[in-house]
Amino acid sequence: MPEALAAAFGAPREFAAIDIGSNSVRLVLYRLEGRAIWTVFNEKVLAGLGRDLGTTGRLSEEGAALAMTALKRFAAVIDGVRPARTFVAATAAVREAADGQTFCDRVAAETGLIIRVLSGEEEARYAALGVIAGMPTARGVVGDLGGASLELMRIGDEGLGRGVTLPLGPFSLSGEGPFDAAKLRETVARRLKPAGDFKTDTLYAVGGAWRTLAQVHMGHTRYPLHIVHQYVMEAGEARDIARLVARSSRASLESWKGLSKKRAETLPQAALVLEGLIDRLGLKRIVLSAWGVREGLLYEALDDEAVGADPLLAGCTALGARQGISPGLPGALFGWIQPIIAALPEAFGPERDQTLADAVCRLADLGARLHPDHRVELAFDQVLRAPIPGQTHAERAWLATAVNARYGGGPGTPEPDTIAHLLTEDQRTGARALGLAIRLACDLSGRAPQLLVNAHVAVADGALMLSASDGYADVLLGEQTRRRGKGLAEAMGLKLDIRNGG
């Protein structure tokens, strides 16, 4: 681990979380570097523990057997990894089943895993904390749909609000008999009545079924960036895809690319619940969250300093620091490019533009150890698709465009259609200019902060002005600086003015 990263975050730690849900049983191993959270192992089994809950009130025998096999394996993995902390949590199926405690006792006896059975309120709270961990500025209502229940909790400027759990998981609805969309719509509407005071513009959707719905929507709209976290569906679009799923036969759903048979079994009910929420809550948009209860448990265990950090900046720091750069370079770059930022049109608002520029500076040497013949494409792809939360899809595209320019990539980027779909022309132009400014700063200084402070940039009277402190002009304002400066000036629609005085 590079010294820069160790100094910033201390020693990394491994955490493990086992989530025993009504439909899936999952183990996730995380590596924590301060506020930066990386998923390093993720395995699930669609056991269907709650499959029979609506009809028998008990756990599915087949599901319990599958879950037990999975949990024995997960216990062995944890024993081998020996993480610093392990969380084992069960949700609605185990909570509500008559034999739920018996199952927990058997798991403890056969695997040594002690299960914490979350109440409905706790489940809603941890789902909301997971959303906040991945999207600190989220405001609205979190909806976590599991196999047996739906948890809702409001999140706002004052923090977490009241939570509610409702019997609206697909397995809870299966007790209504054979699938009948019209009848189930009525059932969903009736069971959603307690959610009347959760009206909001934005639903943060948590749960595998809704992630699958989003992936179906991506496929139908040919959306270019296949990342579910912070994917946004407008309410009308979500309603259309929900109705498409609800009227599709089981055989038809099973034939859809990427849709498993077990997921196809429950997806129509999940679609109807989403449709009902759009109506009941007056939703305008649905934002998908890949983070939920597991990450909420993890987030609660962080210290105050880590909780207060920006997840985007923390992730970019960790990713960039692995290249072994000077720990002082990102900060020096960020200060040096301030005149450039001030001269560019706003991309996402003044405060957010500063955060994104800071993030790009932390990624300034991401390609240092990549092959030079492929550096542009590899660095661009890493930034566009890095599993770093706290950024919208448009912001991902902006950061990737800036990094592309930082490494000498052309205006088109390696994925011009993706970038054009996600960014306006002004946003693309601004991102490219910022990347070229960082390229100029890195190349004129040799990435040495102590040299960079002796070079100066300004924008005034239609010109990009470069100068150096006394005695540094010959060192810093050579031919390569002229070439890099000319490229930046052209990208900003300016003329280049290089001055020898400080």
Side-chain angles (χ1 to χ4, degrees), residues 119-128 141-142 150-155 159-166 194-195 197-198:
S119 68
E121 181 79 14
E122 287 175 326
E123 189 176 352
R125 177 174 177 273
Y126 283 117
V141 169
V142 174
L150 169 70
E151 278 70 43
L152 298 174
M153 178 165 279
R154 188 178 298 279
I155 50 177
L160 303 182
R162 182 178 66 86
V164 65
T165 184
L166 303 170
D197 58 347
F198 283 85

Side-chain angles (χ1 to χ4, degrees), residues 36-120:
I37 300 173
W38 308 100
T39 298
V40 296
F41 182 80
N42 190 331
E43 183 176 323
K44 74 172 179 179
V45 174
L46 289 174
L49 265 177
R51 186 183 311 278
D52 301 333
L53 197 62
T55 53
T56 69
R58 300 176 64 84
L59 299 176
S60 161
E61 290 187 13
E62 178 186 1
L66 288 170
M68 186 60 66
T69 299
L71 290 169
K72 288 178 180 177
R73 169 173 160 72
F74 294 168
V77 171
I78 289 172
D79 188 54
V81 174
R82 297 188 181 279
R85 293 281 302 272
T86 298
F87 306 95
V88 185
T91 53
V94 175
R95 178 173 69 240
E96 296 174 8
D99 55 346
Q101 186 57 52
T102 300
F103 175 79
C104 292
D105 293 342
R106 182 186 169 197
V107 169
E110 296 187 23
T111 71
L113 297 172
I114 306 302
I115 299 173
R116 177 184 174 186
V117 181
L118 302 180
S119 68

